Amino acid sequence: TWRVLLMRGTLSLLAGRFEEAEELIAEAYHRGRGSTGRAAYRYRMIQEAELRHLRGGYEELEPDLRALAEEAPAVWGTSLTHMLAITGRHEEAQARLDQWAAADFGGPVDDMGALPRLARCAEICRALGDTERAAVLYDRLLPYADTWLVHAGGVCTGTVRARLGILAAAMGRLEEAAAHLDKAYHAHC
């Protein structure tokens, strides 16, 4: 039942039905926490972070995101950094992005979490105006342009191509950005 509710919440997020998504996220957490323990909380946070990013209130998750990033920096560090960048805390977000860049943005794309983390870094670069890092991420993400981003099976956030459009725009390559975003739009519809 918990997994079904998670997937229904994901579909509601994709469709932009945010009130329905919020209800499903809460219900999935309520049903799952007894049988899955901490996993239910983590999945709730994945979905809740995307919901808050899309409709507002992202900063309200800061205490939870900080605790999760402390517990598992490779998994949650980009979520915290994304929240900081989106909510205007650019100095701390830039320092965290610099750390990710120094660690080659988490290394090779060899697990199911690597692409979503790189995609979040792309969004962080856009928010911070970091064109140097945008170029590095663009090259890393380009081979995966038509891959769909799925965060731990809990949230789908569209294609990598949309992030390529964001990165190209951040670098001032507007025709390239438009081409990527047009292809992303058609894939998402």
Side-chain angles (χ1 to χ4, degrees):
T1 304
W2 171 68
R3 293 293 289 173
V4 170
L5 290 167
L6 280 175
M7 293 304 106
R8 288 180 58 206
T10 295
L11 292 172
S12 295
L13 280 170
L14 280 170
R17 296 187 309 264
F18 299 141
E19 287 181 20
E20 179 181 305
E22 186 172 31
E23 290 172 13
L24 289 165
I25 291 166
E27 187 177 352
Y29 175 64
H30 177 73
R31 295 265 181 106
R33 69 181 176 191
S35 61
T36 64
R38 190 95 168 126
Y41 169 71
R42 289 184 191 107
Y43 276 93
R44 186 192 104 209
M45 288 305 300
I46 291 168
Q47 291 185 318
E48 189 75 27
E50 186 63 15
L51 173 65
R52 300 293 185 96
H53 165 61
L54 293 172
R55 83 165 189 191
Y58 207 179
E59 64 281 352
E60 295 169 20
L61 300 180
E62 183 176 348
D64 289 297
L65 290 175
R66 283 196 185 276
L68 287 164
E70 182 72 28
E71 178 184 309
V75 176
W76 290 95
T78 54
S79 294
L80 172 61
T81 306
H82 184 248
M83 184 277 304
L84 293 168
I86 296 298
T87 59
R89 313 252 281 296
H90 293 173
E91 190 173 310
E92 184 180 355
Q94 186 67 58
R96 289 176 170 278
L97 182 64
D98 292 346
Q99 290 176 339
W100 275 93
D104 192 29
F105 294 103
V109 179
D110 61 358
D111 67 41
M112 71 179 212
L115 279 177
R117 286 191 300 269
L118 288 173
R120 278 293 185 231
C121 287
E123 295 167 3
I124 294 163
C125 283
R126 179 191 50 80
L128 298 176
D130 191 329
T131 57
E132 178 185 339
R133 303 285 168 37
V136 172
L137 288 165
Y138 184 91
D139 291 341
R140 291 279 302 278
L141 288 169
L142 188 58
Y144 306 97
D146 295 315
T147 302
W148 285 82
L149 296 161
V150 179
H151 301 256
V155 172
C156 177
T157 58
T159 63
V160 170
R161 185 159 312 272
R163 281 29 174 231
L164 291 169
I166 288 169
L167 290 168
M171 295 182 293
R173 295 164 25 188
L174 301 183
E175 287 183 27
E176 199 172 331
H180 282 303
L181 292 171
D182 184 60
K183 287 181 181 178
Y185 171 79
H186 289 292
H188 294 182
C189 291

